[in-house]
Amino acid sequence: ADCVIRWGKVECGDFVVSGTNGGRVKFLNDVANKPIKQAKPSQPVRIVGFKSLPKAGDPIVCASSEEEAKEIIRQRESELNSERAEIDEDRQVQLQVTGTAAKQNLMMQKAQSKYGFDGEEGGEGTIRIPVVIKADSHGALEAVRDALVGMGTESKLDIVIDPVAMSTGVVTTSDVRMARESDAGIFVFGKVGTADKETKVLAETENVSIRNHDIIYRLLEDAKEYFGKYLPVEHVDKVHGSAKVQAVFEVTDPNKKTVAVAGLRVLEGNLFMGKTKRGKDGELPTACFYRVIRKGSILSDAEKLKASSLRKVKEDVESVRNGEECGLGLVGFNDLEEGDVVECFSIEEKRATI
């Protein structure tokens, strides 16, 4: 929030309240966007730390502690609900929202009204994706914001695209710090560059991604790919092959224990001893498991078994192909029956898409 100190002073680490919004001052910048430790009366400053932007014209007060800040908010919410008078703000530092913050807040309010989000984390299961938006004009800024927020509302997942900061002009160190604190990427549209070498170095050091585009559909395609890192990962089974048990033999393993080995014919795909082979596209080998299917149902005690042995014509092999016969032993499972179907599968991670 861009503010002007009325009286008193404000420092980094202070707890601030505006309306029913609160936060802690993370960064304090002067009009040149340079970090400062303390601001004094009549000094214009930018405060970074509010959970959501204050409303234009609302006073901002400093509280002595987080508990006092929360109490102020509770009182204001109570008074707002009961339409009582505003609380006494005497003997507290007062600031006033001005300039760019007021314009950006109006833009944010339009987005909130249109898309129905309120800057909060969302309900249980909601995926919040923070973004910092920069553009070369206010019209472009609104268009990019609407497009990005719309990606979340139109998704089949419960996603909220949360613009934690929006402004026109070059990317600054303040933008980078905001993105770092919010775990956000910076999306830049139009003829907007990075202010200086210091900003570029800070972004690289803090691992903040700055993504520049001048065509909107390319920005949205890039955003869709970038947002993937915030989405949940699902574990899915990939079946590599199946085989039918033609006979069951009892053999003695190296530990002199009697174990069952199934004589199989591969019906489709491939069976693997421990890991799949490297794919033609460079896909790395993955661990394989087996499950036993009897009369169309997977046996509860044979859902994820490892192979103890895989042999073809009395030779140990790493894989067996479709149509071939082999002998297969399974770790800890000896209840194989003729007619069972054995599936070889691996477990893969599949990230959800927006």
Side-chain angles (χ1 to χ4, degrees):
D2 292 339
C3 315
V4 175
I5 309 296
R6 283 187 172 177
W7 60 276
K9 63 182 180 180
V10 62
E11 299 176 338
C12 288
D14 284 349
F15 292 95
V16 288
V17 177
S18 178
T20 56
N21 298 317
R24 189 171 189 176
V25 180
K26 295 179 179 177
F27 304 109
L28 197 62
N29 294 350
D30 62 15
V31 290
N33 249 339
K34 299 295 183 182
I36 56 176
K37 293 183 179 180
Q38 184 184 93
K40 298 180 180 179
S42 301
Q43 184 176 3
V45 292
R46 172 171 290 180
I47 292 177
V48 177
F50 278 101
K51 292 181 179 179
S52 59
L53 284 174
K55 293 182 180 180
D58 273 2
I60 302 173
V61 298
C62 288
S64 60
S65 65
E66 184 177 12
E67 289 71 23
E68 183 181 358
K70 289 180 178 179
E71 180 60 28
I72 292 173
I73 292 173
R74 280 194 292 267
Q75 289 181 9
R76 290 183 175 178
E77 288 176 340
S78 175
E79 291 168 359
L80 184 63
N81 292 336
S82 61
E83 297 183 357
R84 292 200 298 262
E86 295 181 357
I87 65 168
D88 183 10
E89 295 176 343
D90 288 345
R91 304 187 66 184
Q92 292 179 319
V93 182
Q94 291 193 352
L95 306 90
Q96 188 74 26
V97 179
T98 62
T100 304
K103 184 176 290 186
Q104 292 177 6
N105 183 59
L106 179 60
M107 295 170 64
M108 189 70 76
Q109 289 176 355
K110 289 181 180 178
Q112 293 170 357
S113 175
K114 183 175 182 179
Y115 295 107
F117 68 87
D118 57 8
E120 298 297 326
E121 292 290 335
E124 185 177 352
T126 299
I127 303 167
R128 175 182 172 273
I129 303 178
V131 292
V132 173
I133 306 172
K134 303 287 291 190
D136 54 7
S137 68
H138 286 289
L141 196 64
E142 290 191 48
V144 173
R145 177 208 60 200
D146 288 351
L148 290 176
V149 172
M151 289 176 67
T153 58
E154 294 167 8
S155 173
K156 62 181 181 294
L157 301 175
D158 186 5
I159 295 175
V160 173
I161 309 298
D162 184 4
V164 295
M166 305 183 301
S167 60
T168 58
V170 297
V171 179
T172 66
T173 54
S174 294
D175 296 321
V176 174
R177 292 190 185 99
M178 170 61 82
R180 177 195 63 194
E181 291 296 316
S182 306
D183 188 29
I186 301 176
F187 286 86
V188 184
F189 184 75
K191 300 183 182 298
V192 179
T194 303
D196 50 34
K197 184 178 179 180
E198 179 187 359
T199 303
K200 292 181 180 179
V201 171
L202 181 62
E204 292 175 359
T205 302
E206 300 295 343
N207 197 29
V208 171
S209 178
I210 301 177
R211 316 176 82 83
N212 295 275
H213 296 278
D214 54 11
I215 300 176
I216 189 66
Y217 79 84
R218 288 181 179 170
L219 183 147
L220 296 179
E221 287 178 350
D222 182 38
K224 184 176 181 180
E225 180 179 349
Y226 178 79
F227 291 163
K229 75 173 190 174
Y230 296 92
L231 304 182
V233 172
E234 300 174 346
H235 292 90
V236 296
D237 293 347
K238 180 179 181 180
V239 177
H240 298 288
S242 64
K244 187 173 183 178
V245 178
Q246 296 182 308
V248 179
F249 308 95
E250 289 188 347
V251 299
T252 303
D253 66 9
N255 297 321
K256 298 182 179 182
K257 291 183 178 181
T258 301
V259 295
V261 172
L264 308 174
R265 175 178 288 276
V266 181
L267 301 176
E268 58 181 343
N270 301 276
L271 306 186
F272 297 97
M273 173 58 194
K275 291 186 176 182
T276 60
K277 294 181 178 179
R278 180 182 288 272
K280 293 181 180 179
D281 57 355
E283 182 182 357
L284 296 176
T286 56
C288 285
F289 304 94
Y290 287 86
R291 55 187 166 221
V292 179
I293 302 172
R294 183 172 296 163
K295 297 179 181 180
S297 300
I298 299 173
L299 300 183
S300 59
D301 56 345
E303 295 178 330
K304 186 181 178 184
L305 304 170
K306 291 184 178 181
S308 59
S309 63
L310 183 63
R311 309 190 75 184
K312 186 170 66 173
V313 193
K314 297 184 179 181
E315 291 185 4
D316 292 327
V317 293
E318 291 299 318
S319 64
V320 184
R321 294 181 294 181
N322 182 25
E324 296 180 336
E325 294 185 345
C326 65
L328 174 69
L330 298 172
V331 176
F333 186 79
N334 295 306
D335 188 26
L336 288 161
E337 295 181 3
E338 186 176 339
D340 287 347
V341 173
V342 177
E343 276 189 348
C344 176
F345 68 98
S346 59
I347 301 174
E348 298 184 345
E349 289 187 347
K350 183 179 180 182
R351 192 171 291 278
T353 58
I354 200 167

